[in-house]
Amino acid sequence: MLRIIRYSFADLIRSRWLYFYTGFYLVLTGALFFISADLSKVIVSLMNAILFIVPLVALLFGVMVQYNTREFTELLLAQPIPRRSIFLGQYLGIASALAISFLLGAGIPFVISGIFISSEIWNFSILLLSGVLLSYIFSALGYLLALINDNRIRGFGLAIVVWLALAVIYDGLFLLGLAWFSDYPLENAAIFITIFNPIDLARILILLKLDVSALMGYTGAVFNQFLGTSLGMGLALIVLVIWAVLPVSMIRFISLRKDF
Amino acid sequence: MIQIHHLKKTFGRLEVLRGIDLAFDQPGITAVLGPNGSGKSTLLKSILGMVLPDGGQIQFRNKPIDQLGAYRKDISYLPQIARFPENLRVAELIKMIESFRPQVSRSTELIQHFGLESVLQSQLGHLSGGTRQKVNLVLTLMYDTPVIILDEPTAGLDPVALIKLKELIIQARKEGKILLVTTHIMSLVEELADRVVFLLEGRIYFDGKPDSLKERVHEPNLEKAIASLLSGGQLTPLSSNPPSQTRMNGKAIHSILKT
């Protein structure tokens, strides 16, 4: 499997799109530093961008790479290697290339501005960790969508729908629901609903660490109040990891049963 | 070497293979023929475990094939469509495929044979269709395996490369290998094939020497023989049912033997 990861990684790391992606974070983070020298503010601004862009790019890359390597996958399937190593290897190659690209793009400007001698180092680490986790989660979802749908247009369409649903619509519906049922105690329901959205979980994880209550929103405040900072963060992190593992086991399940 | 029993495969509502019985034990070149959609590729892919059968069994060296795929080290396969990761270089791709197999590779010899030295450092995305097919052939033929499966090997090849490919196929036959080839070029079949398997709508309609196919339909060349098979209505599948059936109810076992 390591050999497959290596080739998949090597192929993607030379792709123009990935350079563009790294460059985008470099410019964005650089620009944020230009506007404000306050590390903590830059982290919060960057967080908002990351929560939108990482899932979208990871989904699209997952779908795109799966479709583009279909024919090559056939060649790999004819080699004396087990199926699961081929698909898990390809996925891990994509996800790792995306994660490293994100780490470099967002990380370099922070290193230049002296993050290592700053007290913000842990907040920054949590931000990076969230971005990396989201890269793994959403590229797995994208890869899975492409594996299930042989129709490329539908695969890309579904990826966009998943992104819109989780990054945009989910919060809106969530707020509407909270307003609608505001007469009832909603804390447990809110925590429960948040668990189904990895983007919200990542936001809560970062904001709990930053301890910016004004930005936490309802669920963040509930997490903080009921679970405390460390327990809340622990729970968010564990659920995020589950989110990363679930689609991967689905990839494994589907790939063992699919015809090529 | 390869035994196929009652192989069945359905894609959605489409029955692609409807009970195929075949064996490939003798060295030589078998041409698997049939119109588009007759199940040729599906049959070959089933042998490699890429298509998972709905019914029947495939044995390789007397063992049912499995998903771990260790048996595939004895099979070389040329996929129909040659597309590779665009940003990898030719040399990197060859090295990577070499790393999957324990056997000694003769890639250097084949690279010279097809004149690919000048493109070794090029990215695969920049190659023409014909050159990609040559790379595809190098990747397939660089191992000394007892079985070689070629799905449309001539696609996109120029005449010189085609002659070189024929040389390699003939050499493999001399070495006593089992070759399964699909192609639409009948002259190639006439020139090379020791055996022809003709598939139509998922059933085998002919399995034998090319000459006996021509005799059967009284046509002097293979192209016309196949055309006459398709249009003449003289088609009956060789065996679409299992040669024997066993039924069991509460008290008795019924065995029906067909001859």
Side-chain angles (χ1 to χ4, degrees), chain A residues 6-7 17 65 70 75 98 111 124 135 160 171-173 177 186 198 201 204 215-216 226 232 239 254 256:
Chain A
R6 209 166 54 203
Y7 107 78
W17 292 105
V65 175
R70 275 279 167 104
L75 186 68
L98 280 172
V111 172
F124 176 64
S135 301
I160 300 280
D171 280 355
L173 288 180
L186 288 169
L201 278 170
I204 287 169
L215 287 172
M216 253 178 225
F226 281 80
V239 181
I254 304 261
L256 289 181

Side-chain angles (χ1 to χ4, degrees), chain A residues 112-130:
Chain A
I112 293 171
S113 59
I115 187 75
F116 288 122
I117 47 164
S118 157
S119 58
E120 295 286 331
I121 177 89
W122 290 112
N123 295 342
F124 176 64
S125 307
I126 285 288
L127 181 79
L128 289 188
L129 177 69
S130 305

Side-chain angles (χ1 to χ4, degrees), chain A residues 33-48:
Chain A
F33 271 113
F34 189 72
I35 296 164
S36 159
D38 184 348
L39 279 175
S40 160
K41 277 185 186 159
V42 173
I43 290 176
V44 173
S45 311
L46 192 60
M47 173 195 81
N48 284 316

Side-chain angles (χ1 to χ4, degrees), chain A residues 68-101:
Chain A
N68 278 346
T69 54
R70 275 279 167 104
E71 289 87 4
F72 184 59
T73 306
E74 290 191 11
L75 186 68
L76 291 179
L77 283 165
Q79 307 301 324
I81 36 178
R83 269 191 179 209
R84 56 166 192 277
S85 343
I86 297 173
F87 294 93
L88 293 183
Q90 269 187 349
Y91 155 69
L92 286 173
I94 305 167
S96 308
L98 280 172
I100 287 178
S101 167

Side-chain angles (χ1 to χ4, degrees), chain B residues 126-143:
Chain B
H126 297 158
L127 301 184
S128 73
T131 314
R132 274 210 303 272
Q133 182 70 352
K134 287 182 198 167
V135 174
N136 205 8
L137 283 165
V138 171
L139 293 176
T140 309
L141 298 171
M142 63 191 185
Y143 294 111

Side-chain angles (χ1 to χ4, degrees), chain A residues 14 77 79 83 256 259, chain B residues 9 50 52 72 92 101:
Chain A
R14 288 182 208 155
L77 283 165
Q79 307 301 324
R83 269 191 179 209
L256 289 181
D259 296 309
Chain B
K9 181 66 196 175
M50 294 157 72
L52 309 168
R72 288 194 286 257
E92 284 173 323
R101 301 216 184 205

